Amino acid sequence: MDVKFQMPSTSAQGRAATLTAALLAWTLNEHAEDGRATVEWEFTAPARAILQGSDYYARLNRAALLAFRSKYAITLYEMGCLLAGRRNPTWSGTVDELRERLGAPSNSMPNFSDFRRLVLTPGKAEIDQLAAFTMDWLERRGARGKITHVTITFSPKDDDATNAAADEAERHSTGRRSRREGTADTIVDAASLIAVAATRMSVSDTLRWPADDRVDEFKTPELYAIGRTLGGGHAVQRLADQYVKILKDRRRQLVGDALKADWTKWVTGCSAKWGRV
């Protein structure tokens, strides 16, 4: 209800003017405890006119819009959709003009360093990951060294980068920040990991449960690989501790393929019972 937009118009006297209007005329919110409540709304007449006649909204990618987490990133993305690909894909203005454009009042972030940290930096991070273009900005200082103007540039990505951004927008948001920062875990195929682990064992080795009940990637690499890849993200040693508690002395009687099969069954069962983490 607080979202407003501006568009060029003409006054009753026939002079050029700017129309400012709300996006929504009203909303109707259901009250329900069953998790199925709905929200109904109606666009204002000016909003319907601009939505129907503008190619601006045709440029917006719905998946990308829904993927953004920062409200400032959404507005920056909208600006980029209008400018990316143009001969001069930039927006320039004063800091106050940019604050007003993004809905970031100066009283909440009085210092530009806070504005940069809380608005521009996270906005750029999301746009660079999810949009078909990248965002950069330049800061200009006034006579006393205070930053007074900002120029934002939106540059189209190549086809590969655009496709990667579209794929990311379609993925679940869980882990998106980790993928953006390069800290996400790499999922390794279970069979490959087990095969690599097996190469560390000599032909004469016979797979046995460790004497100290500690399952790790160095002393018992094959058992560890199974727990690591099939255990639903649970700590391998936690799986091993429960295995020892339930099987007791029987764990010492299993060797080779029999132990591997029993351990695999145990690990997958715990994963299904405990859920993934």
Side-chain angles (χ1 to χ4, degrees), residues 120-183:
L120 295 179
T121 299
K124 170 180 168 56
E126 288 202 78
I127 285 174
D128 288 358
Q129 185 182 25
L130 297 168
F133 48 83
T134 59
M135 168 191 153
D136 293 286
W137 76 88
L138 293 175
E139 302 164 5
R140 196 170 72 198
R141 298 181 181 273
R144 297 184 179 180
K146 181 179 179 180
I147 297 173
T148 58
H149 290 73
V150 178
T151 298
I152 302 177
T153 303
F154 300 96
S155 304
K157 295 177 180 177
D158 60 28
D159 291 343
D160 290 341
T162 298
N163 292 335
D167 291 341
E168 179 60 41
E170 295 287 352
R171 297 176 70 180
H172 195 278
S173 60
T174 301
R176 177 165 292 142
R177 182 173 180 178
S178 297
R179 291 191 293 271
R180 180 166 66 237
E181 297 175 353
T183 59

Side-chain angles (χ1 to χ4, degrees), residues 35-68:
R36 302 178 63 183
T38 63
V39 179
E40 300 177 22
W41 71 89
E42 182 177 81
F43 291 113
T44 61
R48 291 197 298 272
I50 194 172
L51 287 169
Q52 290 173 349
S54 175
D55 64 350
Y56 159 56
Y57 286 94
R59 296 172 179 266
L60 300 181
N61 182 295
R62 177 178 177 273
L65 274 174
L66 294 176
F68 284 118

Side-chain angles (χ1 to χ4, degrees), residues 8 10 16 41 47 66 97 101 106 115 137 141 153-154 156 163 166 178 180 183 187 194-195 200 243 274-276:
T10 304
W41 71 89
L66 294 176
E97 289 172 340
R101 182 78 177 262
S106 58
F115 180 78
W137 76 88
R141 298 181 181 273
T153 303
F154 300 96
N163 292 335
S178 297
R180 180 166 66 237
T183 59
I187 299 176
I194 292 171
R200 301 180 185 179
Y243 187 75
W274 298 345
R276 296 190 62 84

Side-chain angles (χ1 to χ4, degrees), residues 249-266:
D249 292 340
R250 181 171 174 268
R251 70 188 188 280
R252 305 292 185 197
Q253 302 168 6
L254 297 171
V255 296
D257 291 340
L259 174 59
K260 184 168 67 173
D262 195 69
W263 172 244
T264 301
K265 181 179 179 181
W266 171 264

